[in-house]
Structure formats: structure tokens, C-alpha cells
Amino acid sequence: MNWKKAASILIPTVSILGFSQLCTKFYRYGFARVDPPLTPETDDPEYLAAYQEFSQWFNRQKKEQWWLYSDDPSNRIHAVYLPNPRPTKKAVVIAHGYHGNAQMMAAYAQLFQELGYHVLMPDNRGHGESAGRWINFGWLDRLDYLDWCLDLIDHLGSDCELLLFGVSMGGAITMMMSGEDLPPQVKAIIEDCGYSSLHEQLAYRAKVEFHLPQFPTLPIASLINRIVLGFSLNDVNSLQALAKNTRPIFFIHGEKDDYVPTSMCYKNFAATSAPKEMWIVPNAKHAEAFAIDPEAYRDRVSWFLSRAGL
């Protein structure tokens, strides 16, 4: 074999192997479990002070520790339940975001408790006190959340009324739940800055953070994910679920979101024919809508809930 022929075989092979290794690193970077610090890493003293205030509120609340699949250590899922101090049949299930946990949703828990709801705050798979080495970006979580709804119905009675609420990846979880056969007690959905599909979100992040092309980055990552978690990246799709949705849904997104692009909110809104509302929050970046103007956020949420009959 001459050198030119050997090079024509060797160079593409080495390139493919090298790029495959880079895609594997991309997959590990995006999907491997990362437990966040107890305090947000921020230089903004106002944000940190607000976070600490909500955390102190959360620590003062009466809590119950709930579990799914508790007899299976490799599969068990954790949630914190905050019973409302006033009698009520309303409850909200709050879905946290990527690399978050239940306690990091304390601000929203306080909001909904003040609005008269019991609050259930799960730790998604691969987050918080729940099991899992890998993050599934809501595709498996959506079924866990359905089980959480059934547990709430058992706990509160068949006459209870449930709200689904989520931020970022949590917003995607609630949207993907909307395509499932939900119990009639689930009355409405509020999603804040969730992505339209995992394929589109990862393609955007691969380009922005790693300067990687969609092809073959995402097909390789999808193959790895099918081996690791059992599903394709294309399965994780809010738009397909929203097309089946029949419940009132409120879409919230920051005008200046450059992590989950604001354009995704418009796609999500267009995907469902159910009763719907949308609020693009001026000057808000990713997951900042509540922090930018908590009073307006509360007013908008209350207005939507009244329209939805809650």
C-alpha cells in the first residue's frame, strides 16, 4: 500500500474518531449529573440577598419528604411537599430547571402558597436527592410527574385541582406532560422559558458554546443517549406534545433570553390550539421573569389562573 492510499484511509478515520471523541465529551458535558452549590455563584448582591430570603422562608416551612419507587435505590425519585397552612383543595407541582433542585424553586413555592396552593417540588432524575447519573431533559421526568399528580390526588382526594408549573427544563417537562393522558384533576399549565425541542436546544448550545455543527454532533449524541437512557434526542419534543394539549396554558419567556431563545416561545405558543396566553417579559434574560418584576409576575399568574377557573 503506497503512502497516498494509506493517508487517504488513515486521515478520514482519525478525523472521524477525533470528532466522535469530541461529541462524547459534549454529551458528558450536557447530560452528566452535576449537583449545584448550595448558594448561587453570582456577583449580584441583590440576587443573592433575594435567594437567601426565599431560602430562609423555605427552611421555616412545614415539610414532608415524598418518594417515588422508594424500594429501588437506583431509581427512586424525591420531592418536597409543603402543605398550605390554610385548608385548600388546590395544589401545584413545580418543576425545576437544568442543574437545579427543588429548594432552588423556593421563590415560586412561596408565590403559589400565598395564592392558596399546596406545593409539591420534585427533584428531577439526576438532580437533588433523586437517583440518576444522567439528565434526561424531561423525557423520563414527565412520566414521574404524572405519578406525582396521582400521588397528590390520593393525598388530597379526587375533588382536588392541580396546576403544573415549570421553569426552563421544568417548563419543557410541563409542556411534554400536556401531551399525555393526564387525570382530569390537572386543570392548567404554566411554563416559563421552556425549550421547543431538545434537538433545537442542543443544536443552538453546541453552536454557541462549542462551535460544533449540528451534523454529525447531534446524531452521535443521540446514539449515545439511546444507549445510555434508551431514547432519541428527537423524542424530547415539546411541540409534538403541545399539539395534543387541551388544557389552558400560559407561556412566559424573557425578551432577552439568549440561553433558550425567545423564538422558541413563539413556536410553543403556535403549537397548541388549547386556550392559551403568552407574556414576553421586557428586559428579562433566561429564567429572570420573576426576578425582574415579581409583582407583575404574580398579577399575570393570578389573572391566568382566574381565567382557567382556578
Side-chain angles (χ1 to χ4, degrees):
M1 180 182 293
N2 61 42
W3 286 108
K4 287 185 178 180
K5 187 173 183 180
S8 69
I9 297 173
L10 184 60
I11 292 174
T13 301
V14 172
S15 298
I16 291 171
L17 290 175
F19 196 82
S20 296
Q21 186 177 26
L22 184 59
C23 292
T24 300
K25 289 183 178 179
F26 171 70
Y27 181 83
R28 285 187 173 276
Y29 175 82
F31 286 74
R33 178 186 188 119
V34 176
D35 290 315
L38 296 178
T39 302
E41 297 176 339
T42 177
D43 295 327
D44 185 340
E46 292 185 4
Y47 182 92
L48 186 59
Y51 179 85
Q52 291 174 340
E53 182 180 343
F54 289 125
S55 293
Q56 291 168 3
W57 173 88
F58 179 81
N59 292 333
R60 292 194 301 267
Q61 302 311 301
K62 178 181 177 183
K63 304 179 193 66
E64 298 175 13
Q65 308 300 319
W66 287 19
W67 297 91
L68 293 176
Y69 332 124
S70 57
D71 294 333
D72 182 359
S74 65
N75 196 45
R76 66 182 195 159
I77 310 299
H78 171 258
V80 177
Y81 179 69
L82 305 181
N84 196 293
R86 298 178 297 278
T88 180
K89 282 289 187 175
K90 296 180 181 180
V92 59
V93 186
I94 296 179
H96 68 75
Y98 180 68
H99 288 175
N101 58 36
Q103 184 168 345
M104 293 177 74
M105 304 300 284
Y108 302 100
Q110 183 179 20
L111 167 66
F112 284 106
Q113 189 186 88
E114 291 174 353
L115 290 175
Y117 287 75
H118 301 295
V119 178
L120 185 67
M121 308 162 69
D123 285 325
N124 301 335
R125 290 173 181 261
H127 295 80
E129 296 186 44
S130 292
R133 292 178 54 200
W134 302 97
I135 297 169
N136 67 86
F137 287 89
W139 185 243
L140 303 179
D141 297 315
R142 82 194 198 285
L143 301 179
D144 296 331
Y145 276 72
L146 177 56
D147 285 339
W148 286 126
C149 289
L150 297 177
D151 280 1
L152 275 171
I153 294 167
D154 287 342
H155 184 70
L156 297 173
S158 60
D159 58 341
C160 69
E161 297 179 311
L162 306 183
L163 169 69
L164 305 179
F165 173 85
V167 177
S168 192
M169 187 178 77
I173 291 172
T174 65
M175 288 188 285
M176 288 188 285
M177 286 182 71
S178 76
E180 300 299 315
D181 185 14
L182 297 174
Q185 288 84 356
V186 177
K187 301 299 184 182
I189 300 168
I190 301 175
E191 80 83 22
D192 185 334
C193 64
Y195 40 81
S196 55
S197 73
L198 183 56
H199 185 279
E200 185 176 3
Q201 177 64 15
L202 290 184
Y204 174 73
R205 299 313 307 171
K207 178 180 178 181
V208 170
E209 292 187 49
F210 294 92
H211 308 291
L212 292 173
Q214 287 191 43
F215 184 86
T217 305
L218 294 192
I220 293 174
S222 188
L223 176 62
I224 296 170
N225 195 69
R226 186 173 287 280
I227 295 170
V228 173
L229 289 175
F231 60 88
S232 164
L233 300 187
N234 288 325
D235 292 332
V236 189
N237 194 306
S238 300
L239 301 178
Q240 291 178 359
L242 287 166
K244 303 175 185 177
N245 176 49
T246 59
R247 287 167 173 78
I249 183 167
F250 185 20
F251 300 91
I252 302 171
H253 216 102
E255 177 192 30
K256 296 183 177 180
D257 193 335
D258 58 2
Y259 190 83
V260 175
T262 309
S263 59
M264 289 192 186
C265 186
Y266 293 99
K267 293 180 181 179
N268 293 333
F269 184 80
T272 183
S273 58
K276 56 188 177 181
E277 303 291 342
M278 180 170 60
W279 180 32
I280 304 299
V281 184
N283 300 315
K285 295 182 179 180
H286 186 63
E288 285 188 350
F290 182 77
I292 285 285
D293 194 341
E295 290 187 10
Y297 198 99
R298 179 191 178 104
D299 290 344
R300 295 267 186 161
V301 165
S302 298
W303 172 80
F304 169 76
L305 292 175
S306 66
R307 285 177 62 88
L310 284 168

